[in-house]
Amino acid sequence: MGQNAEAYLISVVILVSGRAEYLHSIMKCVLNQTLPLGQIQMILVHGGSADDSRKACEEYAGKYREIFPMEVPGNPGADEMRKTGLSAALGKYVTFMDDADLWSLDAFRLAAAYLERHEKEIEAVRASTEFFGEKTGKHPSWSHGEDCIADMHTEYRRTVAGCAGFIIKTEAARLCLSEENEEDREGTVFIHRVLFGKMRYGRLSGAVYYERIPGAGRGGMPETPEQYVRIMDEIRKAAERKQGKNLPAVQYLAVYMAAWLLTGREPGSGEGLTEAGEKCLNSVLRNVEDQYISEYCGGDEVLKTQLMAVKHQFDCRAVMQNLKRETMSLTSGNVRFARIRSNFDILKIWFAQKQQGRSLLPYFRFFSWSRIAVYGMSDLGRFLCEELKGTDVAVQYVIDRRADDLEAEIPVYPPEGKLPAVDVIVVTAVHFYEEIWGRLRELTDCPVISLEDMVHAME
Protein backbone atom coordinates (compact mmCIF):
# COMPACT_ATOMS: atom_id res chain seq x y z
CA MET A 1 0.00 0.00 0.00
CA GLY A 2 2.98 2.24 -0.25
CA GLN A 3 3.18 2.82 3.53
CA ASN A 4 5.83 1.96 6.11
CA ALA A 5 5.22 -0.37 9.05
CA GLU A 6 3.48 1.42 11.93
CA ALA A 7 2.55 4.31 9.68
CA TYR A 8 -0.54 4.69 11.90
CA LEU A 9 -1.18 4.42 15.61
CA ILE A 10 -4.21 2.15 15.20
CA SER A 11 -5.62 0.02 12.40
CA VAL A 12 -9.36 -0.62 12.44
CA VAL A 13 -10.33 -3.76 10.56
CA ILE A 14 -14.06 -3.58 9.77
CA LEU A 15 -15.73 -6.80 8.64
CA VAL A 16 -18.34 -5.62 6.12
CA SER A 17 -21.04 -8.27 5.91
CA GLY A 18 -23.36 -6.80 3.30
CA ARG A 19 -25.16 -4.37 5.61
CA ALA A 20 -24.65 -1.06 3.84
CA GLU A 21 -27.22 0.67 6.04
CA TYR A 22 -24.89 0.22 9.05
CA LEU A 23 -21.63 1.10 7.31
CA HIS A 24 -22.28 4.86 7.28
CA SER A 25 -22.84 4.89 11.06
CA ILE A 26 -19.68 2.97 11.77
CA MET A 27 -17.64 5.22 9.48
CA LYS A 28 -18.91 8.30 11.33
CA CYS A 29 -17.88 6.87 14.69
CA VAL A 30 -14.36 6.13 13.38
CA LEU A 31 -13.89 9.34 11.39
CA ASN A 32 -15.01 11.45 14.36
CA GLN A 33 -12.66 9.88 16.92
CA THR A 34 -10.73 12.28 19.15
CA LEU A 35 -7.56 10.55 17.98
CA PRO A 36 -6.43 12.51 14.89
CA LEU A 37 -7.63 10.93 11.66
CA GLY A 38 -4.10 10.74 10.27
CA GLN A 39 -3.25 8.24 13.03
CA ILE A 40 -6.12 5.88 12.16
CA GLN A 41 -6.06 3.38 9.31
CA MET A 42 -9.41 1.90 8.26
CA ILE A 43 -9.43 -1.43 6.45
CA LEU A 44 -12.85 -2.35 5.03
CA VAL A 45 -12.88 -6.08 4.34
CA HIS A 46 -15.88 -7.34 2.38
CA GLY A 47 -16.80 -10.52 0.59
CA GLY A 48 -17.95 -9.04 -2.70
CA SER A 49 -21.50 -8.55 -1.44
CA ALA A 50 -24.24 -8.07 -4.02
CA ASP A 51 -25.72 -5.06 -2.20
CA ASP A 52 -24.35 -1.51 -2.28
CA SER A 53 -21.88 -1.99 0.60
CA ARG A 54 -19.03 -2.70 -1.85
CA LYS A 55 -19.74 0.54 -3.68
CA ALA A 56 -19.90 2.41 -0.36
CA CYS A 57 -16.48 1.02 0.64
CA GLU A 58 -14.95 2.24 -2.61
CA GLU A 59 -16.56 5.67 -2.28
CA TYR A 60 -15.14 6.14 1.24
CA ALA A 61 -11.71 5.04 0.02
CA GLY A 62 -11.90 7.69 -2.71
CA LYS A 63 -12.50 10.41 -0.12
CA TYR A 64 -9.96 9.43 2.55
CA ARG A 65 -6.43 8.20 2.01
CA GLU A 66 -6.60 6.42 5.39
CA ILE A 67 -9.30 4.03 4.12
CA PHE A 68 -8.40 0.82 2.28
CA PRO A 69 -11.10 -1.48 0.85
CA MET A 70 -10.20 -5.18 0.53
CA GLU A 71 -12.26 -7.91 -1.05
CA VAL A 72 -12.12 -11.59 -0.10
CA PRO A 73 -13.58 -13.66 -2.95
CA GLY A 74 -16.19 -16.33 -2.47
CA ASN A 75 -18.14 -16.60 0.75
CA PRO A 76 -15.47 -15.91 3.40
CA GLY A 77 -15.90 -16.54 7.10
CA ALA A 78 -15.10 -13.92 9.72
CA ASP A 79 -11.80 -15.62 10.56
CA GLU A 80 -10.61 -15.37 6.95
CA MET A 81 -11.71 -11.73 6.75
CA ARG A 82 -9.78 -10.90 9.95
CA LYS A 83 -6.63 -12.49 8.51
CA THR A 84 -7.00 -10.52 5.29
CA GLY A 85 -7.44 -7.24 7.17
CA LEU A 86 -4.58 -7.95 9.54
CA SER A 87 -2.23 -8.63 6.62
CA ALA A 88 -2.70 -5.00 5.54
CA ALA A 89 -2.61 -3.44 9.03
CA LEU A 90 0.02 -0.70 9.35
CA GLY A 91 -0.91 0.51 12.83
CA LYS A 92 0.96 -0.15 16.06
CA TYR A 93 -2.36 -1.40 17.44
CA VAL A 94 -5.29 -3.13 15.76
CA THR A 95 -8.94 -3.70 16.52
CA PHE A 96 -11.55 -5.80 14.73
CA MET A 97 -15.13 -4.55 14.36
CA ASP A 98 -18.36 -6.10 13.23
CA ASP A 99 -19.95 -3.69 10.77
CA ALA A 100 -23.10 -3.35 12.89
CA ASP A 101 -21.33 -2.14 16.03
CA LEU A 102 -19.86 1.22 17.13
CA TRP A 103 -17.14 2.73 19.34
CA SER A 104 -17.37 5.70 21.69
CA LEU A 105 -15.62 8.70 20.15
CA ASP A 106 -12.80 8.81 22.70
CA ALA A 107 -12.13 5.06 22.67
CA PHE A 108 -9.09 4.89 20.38
CA ARG A 109 -7.23 7.74 22.09
CA LEU A 110 -7.83 6.26 25.56
CA ALA A 111 -6.89 2.73 24.50
CA ALA A 112 -3.69 3.77 22.73
CA ALA A 113 -2.61 5.91 25.70
CA TYR A 114 -3.26 3.05 28.15
CA LEU A 115 -1.32 0.56 26.02
CA GLU A 116 1.57 3.03 25.76
CA ARG A 117 1.67 3.48 29.56
CA HIS A 118 1.62 -0.27 30.20
CA GLU A 119 3.58 -1.44 27.18
CA LYS A 120 5.59 -4.10 29.04
CA GLU A 121 2.69 -5.41 31.11
CA ILE A 122 -0.09 -6.06 28.62
CA GLU A 123 -0.70 -6.68 24.93
CA ALA A 124 -4.42 -5.82 24.79
CA VAL A 125 -7.09 -3.66 26.41
CA ARG A 126 -10.81 -4.33 26.65
CA ALA A 127 -13.40 -1.55 26.54
CA SER A 128 -16.64 -1.56 28.47
CA THR A 129 -19.55 -2.94 26.45
CA GLU A 130 -23.02 -1.49 26.13
CA PHE A 131 -25.95 -2.73 24.05
CA PHE A 132 -28.03 -0.72 21.59
CA GLY A 133 -30.72 -1.54 19.07
CA GLU A 134 -33.46 -3.89 20.30
CA LYS A 135 -31.79 -4.14 23.69
CA THR A 136 -30.10 -1.35 25.62
CA GLY A 137 -27.96 -1.18 28.74
CA LYS A 138 -24.56 -2.19 30.03
CA HIS A 139 -23.09 -5.65 29.53
CA PRO A 140 -23.29 -7.41 32.93
CA SER A 141 -19.71 -8.73 32.75
CA TRP A 142 -18.02 -6.01 30.73
CA SER A 143 -18.89 -2.76 32.47
CA HIS A 144 -15.73 -1.47 34.12
CA GLY A 145 -15.97 0.84 37.11
CA GLU A 146 -12.38 2.03 36.72
CA ASP A 147 -9.32 1.45 34.57
CA CYS A 148 -7.30 -1.53 35.75
CA ILE A 149 -5.12 -4.44 34.69
CA ALA A 150 -6.90 -7.78 35.06
CA ASP A 151 -5.09 -11.00 35.94
CA MET A 152 -6.63 -13.97 34.10
CA HIS A 153 -5.37 -16.41 36.76
CA THR A 154 -7.60 -14.90 39.43
CA GLU A 155 -10.30 -13.03 37.46
CA TYR A 156 -11.34 -15.92 35.27
CA ARG A 157 -15.08 -15.41 35.69
CA ARG A 158 -15.13 -12.58 33.15
CA THR A 159 -15.48 -14.90 30.19
CA VAL A 160 -13.90 -13.69 26.95
CA ALA A 161 -16.17 -14.97 24.19
CA GLY A 162 -14.86 -12.93 21.26
CA CYS A 163 -12.34 -10.29 20.18
CA ALA A 164 -14.89 -7.47 19.72
CA GLY A 165 -14.14 -4.59 22.08
CA PHE A 166 -10.42 -5.41 22.31
CA ILE A 167 -7.60 -3.22 21.00
CA ILE A 168 -4.44 -5.28 20.56
CA LYS A 169 -0.77 -4.78 19.77
CA THR A 170 -0.55 -5.58 16.05
CA GLU A 171 2.65 -7.56 16.54
CA ALA A 172 0.94 -9.81 19.10
CA ALA A 173 -2.12 -10.19 16.87
CA ARG A 174 0.00 -11.38 13.95
CA LEU A 175 1.70 -14.01 16.11
CA CYS A 176 -1.63 -15.33 17.38
CA LEU A 177 -3.90 -15.36 14.34
CA SER A 178 -3.64 -18.89 12.96
CA GLU A 179 -2.59 -19.53 9.38
CA GLU A 180 -5.27 -22.21 9.16
CA ASN A 181 -8.88 -21.53 8.22
CA GLU A 182 -10.57 -21.98 11.59
CA GLU A 183 -14.23 -21.89 12.44
CA ASP A 184 -13.66 -19.00 14.83
CA ARG A 185 -16.46 -16.64 13.89
CA GLU A 186 -16.13 -14.23 16.82
CA GLY A 187 -12.36 -14.56 17.29
CA THR A 188 -12.73 -16.47 20.59
CA VAL A 189 -9.74 -18.74 19.93
CA PHE A 190 -7.69 -15.86 18.53
CA ILE A 191 -8.16 -13.48 21.47
CA HIS A 192 -7.34 -16.23 23.99
CA ARG A 193 -4.06 -16.90 22.17
CA VAL A 194 -3.26 -13.20 22.60
CA LEU A 195 -4.22 -13.05 26.28
CA PHE A 196 -2.39 -16.26 27.23
CA GLY A 197 0.89 -14.54 26.34
CA LYS A 198 0.99 -12.37 29.46
CA MET A 199 -2.18 -13.58 31.24
CA ARG A 200 -3.00 -9.93 31.88
CA TYR A 201 -4.93 -7.29 29.93
CA GLY A 202 -6.26 -3.80 30.50
CA ARG A 203 -9.85 -2.83 31.23
CA LEU A 204 -10.97 0.67 30.28
CA SER A 205 -13.95 2.37 31.88
CA GLY A 206 -14.01 5.43 29.59
CA ALA A 207 -13.82 3.54 26.28
CA VAL A 208 -17.08 1.89 25.20
CA TYR A 209 -17.78 -0.70 22.54
CA TYR A 210 -21.45 -0.51 21.50
CA GLU A 211 -22.81 -3.89 20.45
CA ARG A 212 -25.91 -3.89 18.28
CA ILE A 213 -28.69 -6.26 19.34
CA PRO A 214 -29.64 -8.27 17.38
CA GLY A 215 -26.45 -8.80 15.44
CA ALA A 216 -24.79 -11.59 13.54
CA GLY A 217 -23.19 -14.18 15.78
CA ARG A 218 -23.36 -12.25 19.03
CA GLY A 219 -21.02 -13.14 21.83
CA GLY A 220 -18.95 -15.87 20.19
CA MET A 221 -21.43 -18.55 21.19
CA PRO A 222 -21.10 -21.86 19.31
CA GLU A 223 -24.03 -22.78 17.12
CA THR A 224 -23.51 -26.54 17.38
CA PRO A 225 -21.92 -28.93 19.91
CA GLU A 226 -19.34 -29.85 17.27
CA GLN A 227 -18.26 -26.22 16.90
CA TYR A 228 -18.09 -25.96 20.71
CA VAL A 229 -15.68 -28.90 20.83
CA ARG A 230 -13.42 -27.39 18.17
CA ILE A 231 -13.32 -23.96 19.84
CA MET A 232 -12.65 -25.28 23.35
CA ASP A 233 -10.05 -27.82 22.17
CA GLU A 234 -8.10 -25.07 20.42
CA ILE A 235 -8.28 -22.77 23.45
CA ARG A 236 -7.26 -25.53 25.86
CA LYS A 237 -4.30 -26.48 23.64
CA ALA A 238 -3.24 -22.83 23.40
CA ALA A 239 -3.33 -22.54 27.22
CA GLU A 240 -1.29 -25.71 27.66
CA ARG A 241 1.31 -24.52 25.13
CA LYS A 242 1.69 -21.13 26.82
CA GLN A 243 1.06 -21.93 30.49
CA GLY A 244 1.61 -25.69 30.69
CA LYS A 245 -1.85 -26.48 32.06
CA ASN A 246 -5.58 -26.16 31.55
CA LEU A 247 -6.39 -22.81 33.13
CA PRO A 248 -9.40 -21.82 35.31
CA ALA A 249 -10.33 -19.22 32.65
CA VAL A 250 -10.58 -22.00 30.04
CA GLN A 251 -12.60 -24.28 32.28
CA TYR A 252 -15.01 -21.51 33.24
CA LEU A 253 -15.48 -20.56 29.58
CA ALA A 254 -16.18 -24.22 28.76
CA VAL A 255 -18.98 -24.27 31.34
CA TYR A 256 -20.34 -20.94 30.12
CA MET A 257 -20.62 -22.18 26.53
CA ALA A 258 -21.89 -25.63 27.53
CA ALA A 259 -24.69 -24.03 29.54
CA TRP A 260 -25.63 -21.97 26.48
CA LEU A 261 -25.88 -25.07 24.30
CA LEU A 262 -27.67 -27.11 26.93
CA THR A 263 -30.38 -24.63 27.90
CA GLY A 264 -30.98 -22.81 24.62
CA ARG A 265 -30.32 -19.30 23.38
CA GLU A 266 -33.51 -17.86 24.86
CA PRO A 267 -35.21 -18.69 28.17
CA GLY A 268 -37.39 -21.75 27.71
CA SER A 269 -36.15 -22.53 24.21
CA GLY A 270 -33.84 -25.41 25.16
CA GLU A 271 -35.23 -28.76 24.11
CA GLY A 272 -32.23 -30.80 25.21
CA LEU A 273 -29.37 -32.20 23.19
CA THR A 274 -29.16 -35.28 21.05
CA GLU A 275 -27.07 -38.19 22.28
CA ALA A 276 -24.29 -37.11 19.89
CA GLY A 277 -24.51 -33.56 21.22
CA GLU A 278 -24.17 -34.74 24.81
CA LYS A 279 -21.09 -36.74 23.83
CA CYS A 280 -19.57 -33.56 22.40
CA LEU A 281 -20.19 -31.65 25.63
CA ASN A 282 -18.90 -34.57 27.67
CA SER A 283 -15.64 -34.61 25.72
CA VAL A 284 -14.99 -31.01 26.81
CA LEU A 285 -16.47 -31.07 30.32
CA ARG A 286 -14.31 -34.07 31.24
CA ASN A 287 -11.45 -31.55 31.33
CA VAL A 288 -13.37 -29.23 33.69
CA GLU A 289 -13.19 -29.54 37.47
CA ASP A 290 -16.56 -29.77 39.24
CA GLN A 291 -15.64 -26.59 41.15
CA TYR A 292 -16.09 -24.44 38.04
CA ILE A 293 -19.45 -25.96 37.19
CA SER A 294 -20.65 -25.17 40.71
CA GLU A 295 -19.23 -21.64 40.56
CA TYR A 296 -20.88 -20.87 37.24
CA CYS A 297 -24.28 -22.27 38.21
CA GLY A 298 -24.42 -20.64 41.64
CA GLY A 299 -27.83 -21.46 43.06
CA ASP A 300 -29.27 -22.85 39.82
CA GLU A 301 -29.50 -26.49 40.90
CA VAL A 302 -31.32 -27.52 37.72
CA LEU A 303 -28.54 -26.28 35.44
CA LYS A 304 -25.83 -27.67 37.72
CA THR A 305 -27.48 -31.10 37.71
CA GLN A 306 -27.74 -31.03 33.92
CA LEU A 307 -24.08 -30.12 33.46
CA MET A 308 -22.86 -32.65 36.02
CA ALA A 309 -24.97 -35.35 34.38
CA VAL A 310 -23.42 -34.61 30.99
CA LYS A 311 -19.90 -34.52 32.43
CA HIS A 312 -20.18 -37.73 34.48
CA GLN A 313 -22.44 -39.52 31.95
CA PHE A 314 -25.32 -40.52 34.16
CA ASP A 315 -28.89 -40.52 32.93
CA CYS A 316 -31.04 -38.25 35.07
CA ARG A 317 -33.73 -37.38 32.54
CA ALA A 318 -36.63 -38.58 34.69
CA VAL A 319 -35.33 -36.72 37.72
CA MET A 320 -34.73 -33.61 35.61
CA GLN A 321 -38.26 -33.66 34.20
CA ASN A 322 -39.74 -33.77 37.70
CA LEU A 323 -37.38 -31.05 38.89
CA LYS A 324 -38.28 -28.85 35.93
CA ARG A 325 -42.00 -29.28 36.60
CA GLU A 326 -41.54 -28.40 40.28
CA THR A 327 -39.36 -25.41 39.36
CA MET A 328 -41.92 -24.15 36.83
CA SER A 329 -44.67 -24.46 39.45
CA LEU A 330 -42.61 -22.54 42.00
CA THR A 331 -41.66 -19.94 39.41
CA SER A 332 -45.28 -19.45 38.43
CA GLY A 333 -46.22 -18.94 42.07
CA ASN A 334 -43.35 -16.50 42.61
CA VAL A 335 -44.33 -14.48 39.52
CA ARG A 336 -47.94 -14.28 40.70
CA PHE A 337 -46.83 -13.12 44.16
CA ALA A 338 -44.46 -10.55 42.67
CA ARG A 339 -47.22 -9.22 40.39
CA ILE A 340 -49.65 -8.83 43.29
CA ARG A 341 -46.97 -7.15 45.40
CA SER A 342 -46.13 -4.71 42.58
CA ASN A 343 -49.78 -3.76 42.13
CA PHE A 344 -50.25 -3.30 45.89
CA ASP A 345 -47.17 -1.06 46.17
CA ILE A 346 -48.33 1.14 43.28
CA LEU A 347 -51.87 1.43 44.65
CA LYS A 348 -50.48 2.44 48.05
CA ILE A 349 -48.38 5.24 46.49
CA TRP A 350 -51.24 6.26 44.16
CA PHE A 351 -53.74 6.67 47.00
CA ALA A 352 -51.20 8.52 49.14
CA GLN A 353 -50.62 10.95 46.27
CA LYS A 354 -54.36 11.46 45.78
CA GLN A 355 -54.80 12.26 49.46
CA GLN A 356 -52.32 15.10 48.92
CA GLY A 357 -54.43 16.45 46.05
CA ARG A 358 -52.16 15.15 43.29
CA SER A 359 -53.37 13.78 39.97
CA LEU A 360 -52.20 11.95 36.86
CA LEU A 361 -53.74 14.58 34.58
CA PRO A 362 -50.74 16.99 34.54
CA TYR A 363 -48.58 14.12 33.26
CA PHE A 364 -50.85 13.57 30.25
CA ARG A 365 -51.28 17.31 29.62
CA PHE A 366 -47.53 17.95 29.74
CA PHE A 367 -47.08 15.65 26.72
CA SER A 368 -50.38 16.74 25.08
CA TRP A 369 -51.77 13.22 25.32
CA SER A 370 -55.56 13.34 25.18
CA ARG A 371 -56.42 10.04 23.43
CA ILE A 372 -55.01 7.05 25.27
CA ALA A 373 -55.25 3.27 25.39
CA VAL A 374 -54.94 1.21 28.59
CA TYR A 375 -53.14 -2.13 28.58
CA GLY A 376 -54.59 -4.46 31.22
CA MET A 377 -58.04 -4.39 32.79
CA SER A 378 -57.28 -5.75 36.22
CA ASP A 379 -57.48 -3.55 39.34
CA LEU A 380 -54.97 -0.92 38.23
CA GLY A 381 -56.52 -0.66 34.76
CA ARG A 382 -60.02 -0.19 36.18
CA PHE A 383 -58.82 2.46 38.66
CA LEU A 384 -57.11 4.37 35.85
CA CYS A 385 -60.18 4.31 33.61
CA GLU A 386 -62.33 5.46 36.53
CA GLU A 387 -59.97 8.34 37.40
CA LEU A 388 -59.99 9.64 33.83
CA LYS A 389 -63.78 9.64 33.43
CA GLY A 390 -65.13 13.12 32.75
CA THR A 391 -61.68 14.62 32.08
CA ASP A 392 -60.10 15.87 28.85
CA VAL A 393 -58.06 12.61 28.66
CA ALA A 394 -60.21 10.01 26.96
CA VAL A 395 -59.59 6.25 27.11
CA GLN A 396 -60.24 5.16 23.52
CA TYR A 397 -59.89 1.44 24.13
CA VAL A 398 -58.40 -1.25 26.36
CA ILE A 399 -55.88 -3.96 25.39
CA ASP A 400 -56.22 -7.26 27.22
CA ARG A 401 -55.56 -10.93 26.51
CA ARG A 402 -59.09 -11.67 27.80
CA ALA A 403 -60.71 -9.44 25.18
CA ASP A 404 -63.41 -12.00 24.32
CA ASP A 405 -64.46 -12.46 27.96
CA LEU A 406 -64.35 -8.91 29.30
CA GLU A 407 -67.43 -6.74 29.58
CA ALA A 408 -66.54 -3.06 29.35
CA GLU A 409 -68.07 0.24 28.30
CA ILE A 410 -65.23 0.87 25.86
CA PRO A 411 -63.78 -1.37 23.11
CA VAL A 412 -61.37 -4.13 24.17
CA TYR A 413 -58.71 -5.40 21.76
CA PRO A 414 -56.42 -8.45 22.09
CA PRO A 415 -52.65 -7.72 22.08
CA GLU A 416 -52.28 -8.98 18.52
CA GLY A 417 -52.98 -7.42 15.17
CA LYS A 418 -53.49 -3.78 14.23
CA LEU A 419 -54.38 -1.29 16.97
CA PRO A 420 -56.22 2.02 16.41
CA ALA A 421 -54.07 5.16 16.59
CA VAL A 422 -53.79 6.87 19.99
CA ASP A 423 -51.39 9.33 21.61
CA VAL A 424 -50.00 6.86 24.15
CA ILE A 425 -50.56 3.38 25.59
CA VAL A 426 -50.42 3.11 29.39
CA VAL A 427 -49.41 -0.34 30.67
CA THR A 428 -51.09 -1.14 33.98
CA ALA A 429 -49.70 -4.71 34.06
CA VAL A 430 -46.55 -3.10 35.44
CA HIS A 431 -44.79 -6.31 36.49
CA PHE A 432 -44.66 -7.39 32.83
CA TYR A 433 -43.96 -3.96 31.35
CA GLU A 434 -40.72 -4.87 29.54
CA GLU A 435 -42.29 -7.93 27.93
CA ILE A 436 -45.43 -6.00 26.93
CA TRP A 437 -43.38 -3.09 25.57
CA GLY A 438 -41.45 -5.54 23.40
CA ARG A 439 -44.67 -6.88 21.89
CA LEU A 440 -46.42 -3.55 21.40
CA ARG A 441 -43.56 -1.86 19.58
CA GLU A 442 -44.21 -4.31 16.73
CA LEU A 443 -47.86 -3.18 16.58
CA THR A 444 -47.72 0.58 17.08
CA ASP A 445 -45.46 3.61 16.77
CA CYS A 446 -46.95 5.52 19.70
CA PRO A 447 -45.22 5.76 23.11
CA VAL A 448 -45.77 2.88 25.53
CA ILE A 449 -45.32 3.90 29.19
CA SER A 450 -45.70 2.19 32.53
CA LEU A 451 -48.35 3.33 35.01
CA GLU A 452 -45.71 2.87 37.71
CA ASP A 453 -43.58 5.66 36.23
CA MET A 454 -46.62 7.94 36.00
CA VAL A 455 -47.65 7.35 39.61
CA HIS A 456 -44.17 8.22 40.86
CA ALA A 457 -44.30 11.47 38.82
CA MET A 458 -47.77 12.57 39.99
CA GLU A 459 -48.25 16.29 40.69
Side-chain angles (χ1 to χ4, degrees):
M1 291 183 179
Q3 301 281 348
N4 298 322
E6 293 191 8
Y8 301 92
L9 187 58
I10 184 168
S11 294
V12 186
V13 178
I14 302 170
L15 310 187
V16 182
S17 304
R19 292 173 288 196
E21 69 274 20
Y22 296 153
L23 184 60
H24 300 299
S25 295
I26 198 173
M27 294 306 296
K28 283 181 182 178
C29 95
V30 176
L31 292 169
N32 292 322
Q33 287 286 315
T34 55
L35 189 70
L37 181 58
Q39 297 185 41
I40 303 173
Q41 176 194 25
M42 283 163 278
I43 304 169
L44 309 180
V45 186
H46 62 88
S49 174
D51 74 356
D52 56 356
S53 59
R54 176 179 181 177
K55 180 181 177 183
C57 289
E58 292 172 349
E59 288 177 351
Y60 275 113
K63 294 178 181 178
Y64 301 93
R65 64 182 181 85
E66 296 86 359
I67 298 178
F68 304 91
M70 301 185 73
E71 182 175 340
V72 184
N75 185 27
D79 184 62
E80 186 177 355
M81 294 173 76
R82 274 193 293 271
K83 290 171 190 171
T84 301
L86 184 59
S87 69
L90 300 173
K92 184 175 182 180
Y93 308 113
V94 65
T95 187
F96 301 91
M97 293 186 67
D98 185 272
D99 66 351
D101 299 341
L102 301 170
W103 280 98
S104 59
L105 299 183
D106 209 21
F108 295 167
R109 184 184 65 80
L110 292 173
Y114 198 84
L115 283 163
E116 295 281 323
R117 287 199 302 274
H118 301 279
E119 183 177 3
K120 294 182 179 180
E121 301 169 76
I122 58 175
E123 293 180 324
V125 294
R126 178 67 154 83
S128 294
T129 297
E130 295 186 15
F131 302 123
F132 74 107
E134 291 191 4
K135 177 182 178 182
T136 59
K138 295 183 177 181
H139 190 293
S141 298
W142 291 102
S143 298
H144 313 313
E146 58 183 18
D147 295 353
C148 66
I149 293 179
D151 187 323
M152 291 189 70
H153 288 294
T154 57
E155 299 179 69
Y156 56 82
R157 291 191 183 188
R158 286 182 183 257
T159 51
V160 178
C163 65
F166 276 95
I167 294 177
I168 310 159
K169 289 182 180 178
T170 303
E171 181 182 2
R174 287 206 172 97
L175 290 173
C176 296
L177 200 57
S178 171
E179 294 298 324
E180 302 172 4
N181 287 324
E182 297 178 325
E183 190 179 2
D184 190 17
R185 184 184 60 196
E186 297 296 318
T188 308
V189 178
F190 158 65
I191 193 60
H192 278 87
R193 289 194 185 112
V194 172
L195 299 182
F196 289 157
K198 293 187 180 289
M199 291 300 294
R200 290 156 68 84
Y201 62 93
R203 291 193 196 129
L204 298 182
S205 58
V208 181
Y209 187 81
Y210 295 100
E211 183 176 299
R212 187 185 298 271
I213 303 294
R218 304 291 3 136
M221 290 301 187
E223 293 183 343
T224 66
E226 291 76 19
Q227 184 186 13
Y228 164 76
V229 171
R230 287 191 288 272
I231 289 173
M232 291 312 308
D233 278 352
E234 286 298 321
I235 293 174
R236 181 169 52 81
K237 289 175 184 174
E240 290 172 350
R241 284 193 298 269
K242 285 282 190 178
Q243 300 292 324
K245 61 182 179 180
N246 190 14
L247 298 167
V250 178
Q251 297 183 57
Y252 201 79
L253 177 67
V255 179
Y256 172 66
M257 288 189 171
W260 170 268
L261 285 166
L262 199 59
T263 60
R265 291 168 174 76
E266 299 293 339
S269 68
E271 297 180 357
L273 292 173
T274 63
E275 185 177 346
E278 287 193 2
K279 285 182 179 178
C280 286
L281 265 64
N282 170 262
S283 71
V284 175
L285 291 176
R286 281 201 306 264
N287 296 301
V288 175
E289 297 173 37
D290 289 353
Q291 166 195 345
Y292 300 109
I293 295 177
S294 296
E295 282 187 27
Y296 178 79
C297 295
D300 191 338
E301 295 298 329
V302 174
L303 179 57
K304 181 159 64 175
T305 302
Q306 287 177 294
L307 289 167
M308 290 291 191
V310 171
K311 175 185 173 180
H312 296 290
Q313 290 188 299
F314 57 83
D315 189 349
C316 64
R317 287 181 175 83
V319 175
M320 288 305 304
Q321 289 299 323
N322 288 332
L323 189 55
K324 282 182 179 179
R325 281 195 290 269
E326 291 177 10
T327 302
M328 289 175 66
S329 177
L330 287 171
T331 300
S332 176
N334 289 340
V335 169
R336 183 171 179 273
F337 175 79
R339 177 179 61 81
I340 293 171
R341 179 60 186 265
S342 295
N343 289 357
F344 174 77
D345 289 343
I346 291 168
L347 279 173
K348 185 167 66 173
I349 297 170
W350 194 353
F351 291 156
Q353 298 276 48
K354 285 174 67 67
Q355 286 179 337
Q356 297 178 36
R358 296 174 179 171
S359 167
L360 292 171
L361 287 175
Y363 193 104
F364 289 106
R365 289 168 180 162
F366 179 83
F367 292 101
S368 300
W369 292 333
S370 59
R371 301 168 63 253
I372 77 165
V374 174
Y375 190 109
M377 205 53 177
S378 293
D379 291 342
L380 292 177
R382 290 199 303 273
F383 283 133
L384 178 60
C385 290
E386 190 65 30
E387 175 151 322
L388 295 177
K389 274 186 179 179
T391 71
D392 56 351
V393 178
V395 179
Q396 302 293 305
Y397 59 89
V398 169
I399 307 167
D400 199 291
R401 289 178 301 172
R402 304 164 297 160
D404 293 336
D405 302 321
L406 286 176
E407 293 184 6
E409 300 174 357
I410 53 179
V412 182
Y413 291 87
E416 300 94 19
K418 189 172 179 61
L419 296 171
V422 289
D423 298 326
V424 65
I425 297 175
V426 181
V427 177
T428 64
V430 294
H431 187 72
F432 303 101
Y433 170 72
E434 296 291 341
E435 176 186 339
I436 292 167
W437 176 85
R439 290 201 304 264
L440 289 181
R441 66 193 176 90
E442 302 293 335
L443 305 177
T444 179
D445 294 328
C446 76
V448 178
I449 64 171
S450 171
L451 178 64
E452 181 177 16
D453 294 336
M454 296 186 65
V455 167
H456 283 288
M458 283 176 71
E459 296 180 6

